[in-house]
Amino acid sequence: MQAFSGEESSKILFKATWAIRWPDMTVLDDIYQLYQESNGRFSNYCDHVINTMTIRWNGDLVPCCYDLTGRYLIGNIHEHDLDTLWNNQKFQKLRWSIDKMTFNPLCGNCGVVVPKVFLAIKPEFRAAMRGKR
């Protein structure tokens, strides 16, 4: 393996950070510890659902890019035009629920409107994995 030196070494940056729990992410309790952001706050504002549209590979419209699994399907662009989808009852209901802070399960785990939750591997799991090498 070649070591970085000289000019190239000044271009390499490293940033350590916590892993964030994504909305709709299953967290295995025997592996991860959860840490909630201590200075976080609840919000009734989400820029994603009022300024953007997220269209998946198959034309499905989901509320935002954090809906990684397509859990909250708004509709499909192959069946309806964007204006109809943007203003349909399901999308309007989602926006209303955020405004009233009665979050659906997807939004209720989202760091945009609730305090972020971070993941860390439990020390005992890490130790067990070291022993399997």
Side-chain angles (χ1 to χ4, degrees), residues 27-34 122 124:
V27 177
L28 302 173
D29 294 335
D30 54 332
I31 298 175
Y32 297 103
Q33 294 175 204
L34 301 178
K122 289 184 173 181
E124 59 271 21

Side-chain angles (χ1 to χ4, degrees), residues 35-43 111-118:
Y35 298 95
Q36 189 165 7
E37 185 177 42
S38 60
N39 61 347
R41 61 181 183 81
F42 288 83
S43 173
V112 173
V113 294
V114 301
K116 289 179 179 66
V117 174
F118 300 96

Side-chain angles (χ1 to χ4, degrees), residues 54 76 78 86 99 129 133:
T54 300
N76 189 289
H78 299 297
W86 183 256
D99 183 53
M129 293 308 295
R133 291 184 188 172

Side-chain angles (χ1 to χ4, degrees), residues 72-95:
Y72 195 87
L73 181 63
I74 303 293
N76 189 289
I77 62 168
H78 299 297
E79 299 167 11
H80 304 282
D81 61 66
L82 290 177
D83 189 54
T84 300
L85 293 169
W86 183 256
N87 294 299
N88 76 12
Q89 185 176 9
K90 193 164 186 180
F91 219 165
Q92 294 295 336
K93 183 178 177 182
L94 177 68
R95 292 182 190 110

Side-chain angles (χ1 to χ4, degrees), residues 1 3 5-6 14 17 25 50 59 69 76 82 92 118:
M1 181 154 94
S5 62
F14 177 80
T17 188
M25 178 182 177
I50 61 171
T69 60
N76 189 289
L82 290 177
Q92 294 295 336
F118 300 96

Side-chain angles (χ1 to χ4, degrees), residues 37-81:
E37 185 177 42
S38 60
N39 61 347
R41 61 181 183 81
F42 288 83
S43 173
N44 69 338
Y45 177 79
C46 175
D47 183 59
H48 297 283
V49 298
I50 61 171
N51 289 316
T52 66
M53 297 179 107
T54 300
I55 301 170
R56 298 177 55 88
W57 68 273
N58 62 353
D60 284 348
L61 176 69
V62 293
C64 70
C65 59
Y66 296 136
D67 188 357
L68 302 175
T69 60
R71 181 175 183 180
Y72 195 87
L73 181 63
I74 303 293
N76 189 289
I77 62 168
H78 299 297
E79 299 167 11
H80 304 282
D81 61 66

